[in-house]
Amino acid sequence: MQEFATIQAQDPDVYEIMAGERTRQRDGIELIPSENYTSPAVLEAMGSILTNKYSEGYPGKRYYGGQEYIDKIENLAKRRAKQLFGAEHVNVQPYSGSPANIAVFMALLEPGDTLMGMKLDQGGHLTHGLGVNFSGKYFNVASYGVRQDSGRIDMDEVRDIALAQRPKLIISGATAYPRQFDFEAFQSIADEVGAMTMADISHISGLVVGGVHPTPFPFTDIVTTTTHKTLRGPRSAIIMCKKQYGKAIDKAVFPGLQGGPHDHITAAKAVAFGEAMQPSFASYAAQIVSNARALAAELIKHGFDLVSGGTDNHLVLVDLTNKGIIGKDAEACLDKAGLTVNKNSVPFDTRSPFSPSGVRLGTPAATTRGMKETEMAHIARWISEAIDNQTDDTKLGAIHDEVRELCAGFPVPAI
Ligand SMILES: *Cc1c(COP(=O)(O)O)cnc(C)c1O
């Protein structure tokens, strides 16, 4: 277990807070689809002395001395990412998913150019063209969503919008879409309108390398992904692309956007990629999807209304309207029951994004603990009971006791 012994001795204030979060992670079930538990090896790299180094530039072309080992770790991370995803070019320096996307736009677009992405309130990410985000402020935005009757992306509709708006870049990818992306169809639309393509596979990259979601390679021009979601690495991101875009992408990341790369995180990425290359990772990815399907089926039995009627990936999006509870209140009562979820808009939500009608649930973290279909049935039942007893703190506390008991049999790595 992570003892935090040095911090405890030196700084009790910080220790107490960290120990509280450790207990929360241990005794509750994490159902936020973008979260996961990293391995002890990834944590060790992140907490290592590699954080002491400065290394602006790229391997062999740095602006600081003493790069003998840092060059090696960055090259190793790049080599592994290329092999894992089948990418021609990789940049492993982006600090996180949002800066990775900014770097791509800097590399490929001029301010005022048109980019096309999925609407935030229908499942897209804020960096795909939301008005208050840099992507919506500096670029002209064309957006697509899902069909109201099916909750799914309609590629004919995407094509119509692309033909009418003539974007320079078409983005596929989402944060709250329970179905698969047809990257090949996006590419053929882009070819027709002369656009470049970017797939942001942040949520699903672990499923892609595990072989349970179609890969955007080799046709997509640029692929970005965070490394901390289903991929189960450190909190960070990478950009992959066809060779022809490599120079522009590298220039945009450094010196265009960032200074020194976080070398300890680069080491942690290399470790995580090494883990994702193991056969056990493919089983993990398959179990994430099986668990999400089981969770969806059980929730339907308890009368929940799921966007698109189910899931093909790691997440389910629940429209709570028929349950007479809003997302915020569901999130709060589930928290009291030891089940961590996040409130989320559902497509064509009649409520505001700050107080939406749904919640988003995901299985990557619980699957890392070793939970399977049986546990998903318990989780669905607890969610239903908690929502039916949303104002009864005694009942919510009793559910938390049951959750805690289950969790004791499924330890979190490194806790
Ligand atoms: C999580 C996510 C990001 C942003 O990642 P951060 O590391 O939080 O900046 C970008 N795009 C998509 C699709 C995501 O799911």
Side-chain angles (χ1 to χ4, degrees):
M1 158 166 128
Q2 279 212 311
E3 299 286 353
F4 310 141
T6 315
I7 297 173
Q8 183 176 20
Q10 176 181 317
D11 192 333
D13 295 341
V14 171
Y15 171 75
E16 205 168 303
I17 295 166
M18 290 178 68
E21 172 61 13
R22 182 177 57 195
T23 304
R24 191 196 67 81
Q25 290 192 15
R26 186 192 64 196
D27 291 352
I29 300 176
E30 187 55 70
L31 295 166
I32 294 174
S34 51
E35 293 189 20
N36 213 331
Y37 307 108
T38 59
S39 70
V42 167
L43 281 178
E44 198 168 295
M46 290 173 80
S48 72
I49 48 90
L50 272 70
T51 194
N52 298 341
K53 192 71 196 96
Y54 238 105
S55 51
E56 282 180 1
Y58 289 102
K61 291 169 284 191
R62 304 282 191 185
Y63 292 82
Y64 295 81
Q67 306 296 344
E68 187 182 350
Y69 300 102
I70 297 305
D71 278 6
K72 279 187 185 153
I73 199 67
E74 187 167 335
N75 281 329
L76 180 61
K78 285 172 72 164
R79 230 173 19 248
R80 287 186 177 174
K82 275 189 200 169
Q83 192 189 334
L84 188 59
F85 287 92
E88 289 179 13
H89 180 88
V90 181
N91 187 305
V92 295
Q93 293 194 2
Y95 299 143
S96 210
S98 303
N101 289 350
I102 301 177
V104 173
F105 301 159
M106 269 192 69
L108 305 182
L109 306 175
E110 295 297 328
D113 280 351
T114 300
L115 63 81
M116 180 166 156
M118 195 174 188
K119 291 185 191 98
L120 176 86
D121 58 2
Q122 303 218 342
H125 190 257
L126 73 165
T127 54
H128 298 178
L130 185 70
V132 295
N133 185 262
F134 80 93
S135 56
K137 282 195 163 163
Y138 298 110
F139 303 101
N140 182 39
V141 175
S143 49
Y144 59 91
V146 297
R147 286 181 65 96
Q148 191 153 18
D149 55 2
S150 64
R152 291 171 188 248
I153 297 169
D154 176 343
M155 293 311 295
D156 290 331
E157 208 175 279
V158 173
R159 180 172 174 269
D160 289 344
I161 297 167
L163 283 168
Q165 306 272 337
R166 297 275 158 184
K168 198 164 166 191
L169 179 69
I170 300 179
I171 305 168
S172 55
T175 64
Y177 185 59
R179 300 296 177 176
Q180 295 188 339
F181 273 86
D182 186 345
F183 298 116
E184 215 162 352
F186 273 94
Q187 187 61 40
S188 76
I189 291 167
D191 288 342
E192 198 179 341
V193 303
M196 293 174 281
T197 50
M198 169 177 139
D200 178 350
I201 59 169
S202 290
H203 261 257
I204 55 169
S205 54
L207 307 182
V208 168
V209 303
V212 290
H213 188 293
T215 171
F217 296 99
F219 24 83
T220 310
D221 292 321
I222 316 276
V223 178
T224 61
T225 181
T226 49
T227 49
H228 49 276
K229 297 178 184 175
T230 48
L231 199 52
R232 213 161 58 179
R235 199 167 203 98
S236 195
I238 58 175
I239 303 172
M240 297 171 277
C241 61
K242 291 181 180 163
K243 251 207 171 79
Q244 72 208 76
Y245 299 106
K247 268 207 175 96
I249 291 290
D250 287 351
K251 258 178 77 182
V253 173
F254 176 86
L257 184 69
Q258 297 187 168
H262 295 176
D263 300 317
H264 55 310
I265 303 296
T266 304
K269 283 186 241 198
V271 172
F273 300 152
E275 292 175 356
M277 285 167 170
Q278 303 306 313
S280 58
F281 195 86
S283 325
Y284 166 62
Q287 191 64 50
I288 290 176
V289 176
S290 303
N291 282 352
R293 290 220 172 99
L295 183 64
E298 293 294 327
L299 286 167
I300 289 169
K301 281 190 209 160
H302 289 287
F304 285 94
D305 178 12
L306 307 189
V307 172
S308 85
T311 181
D312 295 326
N313 59 20
H314 63 301
L315 71 83
V316 289
L317 188 55
V318 187
D319 183 341
L320 293 165
T321 311
N322 71 335
K323 290 281 184 181
I325 188 169
I326 60 172
K328 174 166 65 84
D329 294 345
E331 180 185 300
C333 80
L334 291 171
D335 244 338
K336 289 182 187 167
L339 302 163
T340 312
V341 309
N342 74 294
K343 62 176 191 268
N344 213 95
S345 292
V346 295
F348 308 96
D349 207 321
T350 49
R351 301 182 53 85
S352 88
F354 305 104
S355 181
S357 301
V359 288
R360 195 178 64 144
L361 311 170
T363 55
T367 307
T368 293
R369 292 179 91 148
M371 293 184 184
K372 296 212 163 94
E373 289 82 350
T374 315
E375 287 72 40
M376 296 303 123
H378 293 310
I379 291 169
R381 177 171 51 80
W382 286 323
I383 290 172
S384 177
E385 286 174 5
I387 285 174
D388 288 345
N389 297 277
Q390 52 182 284
T391 54
D392 183 347
D393 281 358
T394 314
K395 175 68 184 171
L396 296 173
I399 297 172
H400 199 166
D401 289 341
E402 288 182 55
V403 167
R404 200 177 286 113
E405 200 179 313
L406 180 80
C407 285
F410 296 92
V412 173
I415 296 191

